Amino acid sequence: MSLQGKKVLVGLTGGIACYKVPYLVRDLMRQGAEVRVMMTKSATKFITPLTLETVSGYPVAVDMFPEREFVGTRHIDLANWPDVVVIAPATANFFGKIASGVTDDLLTTVVIASPVPVMVAPAMNPQMWQHPTTKRNAAYFREIGYEVVGPAEGDMACDHVGIGRMVEPREILAAIERLLGKKKSVPTNQTKAVLTGKRLLITAGPCREPIDPVRYISNRSSGKMGYALAEAAVQLGATVTLVSGPSRLSAPSGVDFVPVETTDQMYQAVSQRFPDTHYLIMAAAPADFAPSQAAAHKIKKQQAEMQLSLSPTVDILKAMGERKKDGQVLIGFALETDDGIANARRKLKAKNLDMIVLNNPLDANSAFDHDTNKVTIIQPEGDPEEWPLDNKSNVAFKLLEKIAGMA
Ligand code: CTP
């Protein structure tokens, strides 16, 4: 019963993901939480208040001024009641209204009137999520301390595939448990906000270099180390942007997520954000070479043999190393199967890095696609530090605590 005695106010705005919210309410109650529900008028088009009244055992608040009922300062009472307000699903309209201070219904008024933490689980079509106003509003939410959980990637009700789905109720539950501090996902000594006020730019995953419209060159990177770093950095108080190549993982909550595909796109995304960054951690595996020219049409297998001409891609880390200013810290990863330390030291110097994290894909349970990693930390001064095999989340926390204070 991780939420025993906790009070959770769940707010629904109008989206198809409303149908998942009774499961969230039930899961919260199973963990011992007391739950009250409020809905916008649009949300009641997707699921009835009666369903949520039945699951939660309490009347659902919809109207600011219900007929034939004296409600007094209902919005203030509701706003002061919970330990956390959770808006799920949260529409683009909700983001827009709160970001500009518009409170024209009960739900938005309660959110603005509430002194407790606010968690928001967006759900919308990928184009709506990617729209500059929504992006700006989501960034603003994070800035004012709202926790934005998701959205996830996958099939949408509108037949699109992309980022925009509401994360599953169990992920929202886990985020609430973390927020209310009953179930720590990390040992207590690792939750000190040692990166508060710092902006981290983290890259993760592989890149894909197109050969033609259906084929590409890529590598085995899963993105796990970079995603673990991004998640840990948020918990340590940092403002985090995660630039990720194609990965099966869903974006950790609380990060500004920038999906890319090619090394060149990753370069553009990193270049643009680098000037405002305190720490750049390049955990991604960009390509070193890309097809010199991607064919516009699918290549047919006409001949027995085929030559593919490759050209070098831009070395992102090296380019940022050349632009690095005082107060900026650059951390690279080196994947080496032979002469690890000597090669890593060479890269550290050539790319003007402050630290390089060496790992070996031939080590058992390490590097590509494993949940664990065995790394050696190399800095310009001092001896290499060999860390024991550990899960990637612990390695991430240990690494971030080591670099805290460097920028
Ligand atoms: N890196 C990068 N841009 C590239 C290639 C690599 O920014 N085009 C970064 C990686 O993210 C990593 C570091 O450089 O942090 C080292 O990557 P690695 O593949 O080990 O080294 P390379 O410099 O590519 O050298 P080599 O492939 O010869 O080992």
Side-chain angles (χ1 to χ4, degrees):
M1 299 273 266
S2 60
L3 295 172
Q4 190 66 47
K6 295 292 178 192
K7 296 179 187 148
V8 182
L9 176 60
V10 177
L12 293 83
T13 65
I16 182 61
C18 282
Y19 83 90
K20 294 184 177 175
V21 177
Y23 298 98
L24 172 64
V25 171
R26 188 196 56 191
D27 290 351
L28 285 164
M29 291 168 70
R30 280 189 180 153
Q31 292 302 328
E34 248 189 275
V35 182
R36 300 283 190 279
V37 180
M38 57 181 177
M39 300 171 81
T40 60
K41 285 235 163 50
S42 308
T44 66
K45 305 277 180 207
F46 290 91
I47 182 169
T48 69
L50 181 63
T51 309
L52 288 152
E53 278 181 25
T54 311
V55 180
S56 69
Y58 284 92
V60 169
V62 180
D63 291 322
M64 189 79 182
F65 308 108
E67 277 176 38
R68 284 187 288 279
E69 193 187 331
F70 175 73
V71 289
T73 51
R74 157 191 257 204
H75 59 294
I76 303 297
D77 297 343
L78 258 183
N80 286 321
W81 174 79
D83 294 304
V84 60
V85 177
V86 181
I87 305 300
T91 57
N93 184 44
F94 171 79
F95 275 86
K97 278 200 208 171
I98 295 293
S100 43
V102 175
T103 62
D104 59 356
D105 59 11
L106 178 78
L107 184 140
T108 46
T109 311
V110 168
V111 168
I112 285 202
S114 185
V116 304
V118 175
M119 184 180 289
V120 178
M124 64 195 81
N125 158 286
Q127 268 133 275
M128 293 169 80
W129 178 247
Q130 287 303 327
H131 192 278
T133 53
T134 319
K135 276 176 132 169
R136 182 199 58 199
N137 294 340
Y140 179 64
F141 272 26
R142 291 186 194 103
E143 210 181 297
I144 61 174
Y146 285 14
E147 181 161 349
V148 181
V149 186
E153 189 172 3
D155 298 336
M156 314 288 295
C158 53
D159 277 349
H160 281 80
V161 179
I163 297 172
R165 277 166 67 107
M166 189 175 87
V167 295
E168 293 303 319
R170 66 183 153 70
E171 287 179 59
I172 302 176
L173 175 72
I176 296 171
E177 286 172 333
R178 267 201 306 274
L179 187 88
L180 295 181
K182 281 284 173 190
K183 192 171 137 192
K184 296 268 185 310
S185 62
V186 290
T188 41
N189 68 346
Q190 292 177 338
T191 53
K192 278 181 273 152
V194 289
L195 290 173
T196 300
K198 298 298 174 193
R199 285 184 296 277
L200 268 71
L201 181 57
I202 299 173
T203 66
C207 288
R208 282 181 186 166
E209 307 303 331
I211 297 172
D212 67 17
V214 293
R215 305 177 178 99
Y216 56 79
I217 299 178
S218 190
N219 59 59
R220 289 178 196 279
S221 169
S222 64
K224 284 179 183 170
M225 192 65 232
Y227 279 58
L229 280 161
E231 193 171 2
V234 170
Q235 292 194 39
L236 294 174
T239 303
V240 182
T241 300
L242 176 63
V243 177
S244 173
S247 162
R248 279 179 284 111
L249 307 172
S250 36
S253 59
V255 309
D256 177 23
F257 186 68
V258 183
V260 295
E261 192 142 329
T262 63
T263 301
D264 194 52
Q265 287 167 1
M266 186 171 277
Y267 169 70
Q268 303 295 344
V270 169
S271 285
Q272 200 188 334
R273 292 164 178 83
F274 184 65
D276 289 334
T277 295
H278 294 111
Y279 294 91
L280 168 64
I281 308 181
M282 284 284 308
D288 289 334
F289 291 91
S292 306
Q293 199 147 35
H297 298 279
K298 187 182 169 208
I299 301 169
K300 305 300 284 178
K301 56 168 187 295
Q302 287 143 340
Q303 67 270 46
E305 251 182 46
M306 152 160 187
Q307 305 272 343
L308 198 57
S309 161
L310 302 174
S311 311
T313 56
V314 54
D315 188 321
I316 306 169
L317 200 47
K318 189 157 187 278
M320 299 309 125
E322 283 158 11
R323 295 177 208 173
K324 185 168 82 169
K325 299 218 166 65
D326 280 353
Q328 288 190 302
V329 169
L330 247 64
I331 296 156
F333 274 71
L335 204 61
E336 305 288 348
T337 53
D338 306 288
D339 296 331
I341 300 217
N343 279 326
R345 274 204 193 284
R346 194 174 40 73
K347 286 179 192 173
L348 180 86
K349 203 154 182 255
K351 303 192 188 197
N352 193 20
L353 308 181
D354 300 279
M355 178 186 286
I356 195 154
V357 181
L358 166 67
N359 49 28
N360 181 343
L362 303 182
D363 267 350
N365 302 319
S366 221
F368 278 153
D369 210 20
H370 288 292
D371 291 326
T372 48
N373 209 359
K374 185 169 180 300
V375 301
T376 303
I377 307 293
I378 302 169
Q379 290 179 268
E381 309 292 331
D383 290 334
E385 265 180 48
E386 216 178 295
W387 290 358
L389 184 74
D390 206 340
N391 69 55
K392 285 185 174 171
S393 175
N394 283 342
V395 173
F397 275 105
K398 214 167 143 183
L399 188 70
L400 294 171
E401 288 189 334
K402 187 168 176 68
I403 65 170
M406 280 169 69

